[in-house]
Amino acid sequence: MRIIIAGLIGGIVLFVWGTIAHTMLPIGEMGMKLATNQEATVSAMQGAAQPGAGVYVLPGMSPEQYRDDATREAFVAKYKDSPSAFVVYDPSPNPIMSSMGPNLVKQFISDYFVALLAAWIMGLAAVSFGTRVAMGGAMGLLAWFAANVPYWNWYRFPMDFTVGAWLDYGLGLLIASVPMAWWLGRRR
């Protein structure tokens, strides 16, 4: 039961930190930019995208094309000095435009499960308060290194976006670890 409560405490703290990071601080928008002509950009994606939602790397090539040496060499020669884009495209209407409620619920559930897993790991160790907090911070750093650093490396996500992701979630888990470690260290 103490792990479940520690996870709930941590989930609430993560959710509140995320709210602060995205509404009161510029952390949630670090590295994001707006297209100057949004209508033309959306129209171009509608015309170029395959049916359904997907992630597009521009310029890009299929695995079959990449395995063909001549095709790959021609592609590299053509686009070696070209800009690139990583686009998450969904042709269906964005429900956030009308109501963020369902997304906020999903975010809280996600935050709770992250904190619950962190509380379980922190609870396995018979260690001090400070060590548990450090464990939580290390888990946040691990998640950031595993997910966001490869995006920066391979897909050229901007450095400020990558740092913002650490401040948003990596730092968030460190902050959430403080009350979680306190709860887990209480005498029964």
Side-chain angles (χ1 to χ4, degrees), residues 55-69:
V55 176
Y56 291 82
V57 178
L58 304 167
M61 58 190 317
S62 71
E64 295 80 22
Q65 292 171 316
Y66 188 81
R67 286 190 285 272
D68 180 89
D69 291 340

Side-chain angles (χ1 to χ4, degrees), residues 99-172:
S99 172
M100 288 196 307
N103 291 79
L104 290 172
V105 170
K106 288 185 265 187
Q107 184 63 50
F108 179 76
I109 291 168
S110 172
D111 290 342
Y112 171 66
F113 281 116
V114 166
L116 184 63
L117 182 59
W120 176 69
I121 292 170
M122 290 165 46
L124 289 174
V127 294
S128 69
F129 168 81
T131 301
R132 281 195 174 114
V133 171
M135 288 171 71
M139 285 183 267
L141 194 58
L142 176 68
W144 176 74
F145 267 112
N148 295 100
V149 172
Y151 286 162
W152 164 80
N153 181 40
W154 292 104
Y155 301 117
R156 300 176 52 200
F157 276 37
M159 180 54 76
D160 51 350
F161 181 90
T162 304
V163 170
W166 174 77
L167 291 170
D168 184 11
Y169 225 73
L171 184 58

